[in-house]
Amino acid sequence: MNLFNIIYVNFRNLHGIELNLFDKPFYHNGIEEISLINSDLRFTINGKSVKTCSDITSVQNGTFKSASLFQIRLANAPFILFGCRFPLKICPLVFSNSKIRYFKIVDLVDTFYKKNLLKFSNNETWNNLNSDIKSLTIFNSENIALDTAFLNPSVFENLQRIYIYCTLSSISLDLFASLKSLFEIIFQTIHFRKLIHRNGIEWIKGINRGLHVNLSNLTDFIDNFNSGRYVSLF
């Protein structure tokens, strides 16, 4: 690739994002990164504030066919939320037709003195949302709960890997049943140790629930190797 054609797209200090920004999702092979920095993730559609999913579906007759920054198709480039604020829960329809291979979220926090969390407005299943996010990295964050309010099953239906560079407060026991494509969670060792000390290992029992493998049978082990989910440390 010609270095002069490489594009880093950084949006700083946005007060909101218009969902009806483009007519349709589009792909640009020169984009190496899209970042939203120190911005408010408030959404509008045709200039009107979006507070619930019905604010979107009522405008577009029950569907969502337009495109915003989240519908810019990225082949191998990361989409980063850096120091962004989440004043409202986000409707899953915001990620309709998204294609993000590397989604990174930086600076989430949930403490008694500060709360800034990405949460979705409901946990219901949105058929044909067509969200395609392959990996999620959570970095420089504090006391985060991994549950379906954060990792909405429709938005992250194709999620394969989660990278944890932060302290977690908990992992929901039903998370793995909801994220059917997930096969690996990668922890920094120090954060894994803190989670185990705080919450025990009950959540680990849910990772491969329903998978039965005879570990003394090499053939059975090999046949089921790619069906398992894994916890990796570094």
Side-chain angles (χ1 to χ4, degrees):
M1 179 184 294
N2 188 328
L3 292 179
F4 294 101
N5 292 330
I6 296 177
I7 302 172
Y8 291 85
V9 182
N10 296 322
F11 297 94
R12 295 177 180 270
N13 304 315
L14 297 180
H15 295 293
I17 299 171
E18 170 60 42
L19 295 178
N20 202 8
L21 194 61
F22 312 111
D23 291 333
K24 59 182 180 180
F26 70 90
Y27 174 77
H28 193 299
N29 61 8
I31 295 178
E32 286 293 298
E33 177 183 292
I34 293 181
S35 297
L36 298 181
I37 303 170
N38 296 329
S39 297
D40 292 328
L41 263 71
R42 300 177 186 271
F43 298 94
T44 60
I45 186 163
N46 297 336
K48 296 182 178 180
S49 177
V50 171
K51 295 182 179 179
T52 66
C53 291
S54 61
D55 293 327
I56 298 175
T57 56
S58 62
V59 171
Q60 301 208 342
N61 297 320
T63 62
F64 182 47
K65 299 179 180 179
S66 300
S68 70
L69 299 177
F70 291 96
Q71 280 72 46
I72 298 176
R73 299 297 178 89
L74 302 175
N76 293 304
F79 193 112
I80 305 173
L81 302 180
F82 190 97
C84 290
R85 296 169 292 276
F86 307 93
L88 297 171
K89 292 183 178 181
I90 297 175
C91 172
L93 290 174
V94 169
F95 285 86
S96 177
N97 296 311
S98 291
K99 186 176 180 62
I100 302 172
R101 185 160 188 176
Y102 304 109
F103 190 32
K104 299 182 180 182
I105 306 176
V106 185
D107 289 342
L108 298 177
V109 62
D110 186 10
T111 64
F112 71 94
Y113 59 89
K114 184 177 181 181
K115 187 181 294 288
N116 184 49
L117 299 171
L118 191 163
K119 296 286 186 181
F120 287 92
S121 57
N122 55 61
N123 295 335
E124 68 179 275
T125 299
W126 291 86
N127 295 323
N128 302 317
L129 192 68
N130 198 31
S131 174
D132 190 14
I133 300 172
K134 296 299 187 187
S135 79
L136 171 67
T137 299
I138 310 169
F139 188 81
N140 194 39
S141 298
E142 186 176 356
N143 210 37
I144 306 306
L146 291 190
D147 54 26
T148 54
F150 176 18
L151 301 180
N152 180 274
S154 296
V155 174
F156 292 100
E157 65 177 332
N158 292 306
L159 186 67
Q160 298 175 350
R161 287 186 173 90
I162 303 175
Y163 296 85
I164 306 296
Y165 293 84
C166 67
T167 58
L168 298 181
S169 62
S170 64
I171 297 181
S172 173
L173 298 181
D174 64 350
L175 181 68
F176 304 102
S178 301
L179 302 178
K180 300 185 184 304
S181 297
L182 182 68
F183 66 81
E184 188 175 21
I185 301 181
I186 301 97
F187 286 89
Q188 282 183 304
T189 302
I190 186 173
H191 297 310
F192 179 78
R193 186 182 300 118
K194 289 180 179 179
L195 176 65
I196 296 301
H197 287 170
R198 175 184 292 183
N199 287 93
I201 62 171
E202 191 65 27
W203 61 272
I204 295 179
K205 298 177 183 178
I207 290 180
N208 287 307
R209 183 169 294 159
L211 179 64
H212 303 286
V213 181
N214 183 356
L215 297 179
S216 63
N217 185 319
L218 181 59
T219 300
D220 194 35
F221 176 78
I222 292 174
D223 288 344
N224 287 279
F225 183 81
N226 290 326
S227 299
R229 290 168 167 164
Y230 304 92
V231 174
S232 301
L233 306 179
F234 67 94

